[in-house]
Amino acid sequence: QKEVEQNSGPLSVPEGAIASLNCTYSDRGSQSFFWYRQYSGKSPELIMFIYSNGDKEDGRFTAQLNKASQYVSLLIRDSQPSDSATYLCAVNMRTGFQKLVFGTGTRLLVSP
Amino acid sequence: EAQVTQNPRYLITVTGKKLTVTCSQNMNHEYMSWYRQDPGLGLRQIYYSMNVEVTDKGDVPEGYKVSRKEKRNFPLILESPSPNQTSLYFCASSSIATDTQYFGPGTRLTVL
């Protein structure tokens, strides 16, 4: 079992729709969770982080964390073509130092 | 402007010719890390550093060396590059106070 798993996609949604991206992780002791957006050939850009169970909203983005089920998700409301990118889920699996383990990413395509 | 810089951005070299990829951050971050990104494998950590003179192996350290003589710099050294080290490399940094990592622009390395 991979430590952090994501569906590779592509996930295709029409402009204006809600895109839902999911991620599961293997280590129950994981403490913090991150979503990065990566355009082709570019560096990962932090979108959101979440530490506690529940929802965290920032503009059009909502991160959801369920530690009991070991999954974290990212919702993108009112999706725009500029949101088309690969979304990387990253999990800090150890307390005390900052080892991020990344999923392989989900490619999102938003069509006009 | 707070940033992580890497040089060179693109490099084509031949097997066995030693090279160094530089990484520098201006945010006074304690933690720095090197990743490589390959299709289908995602981002994998090569080495990391918790502070000056403190470095440790990540998940794929073979064939790489690092040093941390100054807080702002964390160079990646390939003593004898091989074709399987052809990849996209990212440097990242974060503060000990948070575990949010910020990435440099990437270095695309091709070893012939």
Side-chain angles (χ1 to χ4, degrees), chain A residues 3-4 6 17 25 28 30-33 41 50 52-53 57-58 62 64 72 76 79 83-85 94 96 98 102 108:
Chain A
E3 293 180 287
V4 178
Q6 296 180 256
Y25 59 95
R28 280 195 176 275
S30 300
Q31 297 294 312
S32 45
F33 309 84
I50 185 168
S52 305
N53 277 330
E57 187 174 319
D58 184 1
T62 299
Q64 300 175 318
V72 57
I76 306 175
S79 296
D83 294 326
S84 297
R94 307 183 192 184
Q98 301 169 18
F102 285 82
L108 173 66

Side-chain angles (χ1 to χ4, degrees), chain B residues 12 23 34 36 38 41 56 70 72 76 86 93 107-108:
Chain B
I12 300 175
C23 173
W34 276 103
R36 62 177 289 174
D38 303 288
L41 297 177
D56 206 349
E70 303 168 281
R72 63 183 291 124
L76 180 69
T86 292
S93 74
T107 296
R108 187 168 292 280

Side-chain angles (χ1 to χ4, degrees), chain A residues 6-39:
Chain A
Q6 296 180 256
N7 188 317
S8 61
L11 173 66
S12 295
V13 300
E15 184 174 357
I18 296 175
S20 177
L21 304 162
N22 300 312
C23 170
T24 59
Y25 59 95
S26 61
D27 184 0
R28 280 195 176 275
S30 300
Q31 297 294 312
S32 45
F33 309 84
F34 303 85
W35 284 101
Y36 286 84
R37 177 176 63 197
Q38 187 177 27
Y39 294 109

Side-chain angles (χ1 to χ4, degrees), chain B:
Chain B
E1 179 190 356
Q3 59 182 350
V4 180
T5 57
Q6 294 179 228
N7 282 292
R9 295 290 313 282
Y10 303 90
L11 180 60
I12 300 175
T13 189
V14 296
T15 299
K17 186 176 181 180
K18 181 179 178 179
L19 67 92
T20 299
V21 184
T22 64
C23 173
S24 183
Q25 50 92 7
N26 62 1
M27 295 170 279
N28 201 37
H29 285 168
E30 296 84 4
Y31 183 90
M32 298 185 74
S33 182
W34 276 103
Y35 296 88
R36 62 177 289 174
Q37 187 174 36
D38 303 288
L41 297 177
L43 279 160
R44 294 178 293 168
Q45 190 180 55
I46 303 170
Y47 268 94
Y48 66 92
S49 170
M50 297 295 290
N51 214 322
V52 175
E53 302 292 2
V54 181
T55 64
D56 206 349
K57 297 177 181 178
D59 298 317
V60 288
E62 293 77 20
Y64 304 95
K65 286 176 55 177
V66 293
S67 68
R68 187 92 182 270
K69 292 181 169 51
E70 303 168 281
K71 196 172 185 179
R72 63 183 291 124
N73 296 323
F74 190 45
L76 180 69
I77 303 158
L78 285 73
E79 295 266 0
S80 182
S82 62
N84 64 12
Q85 292 178 299
T86 292
S87 187
L88 180 57
Y89 291 85
F90 291 104
C91 180
S93 74
S94 63
S95 166
I96 289 291
T98 75
D99 51 4
T100 303
Q101 293 191 24
Y102 297 93
F103 285 80
T107 296
R108 187 168 292 280
L109 172 66
T110 301
V111 183
L112 301 175

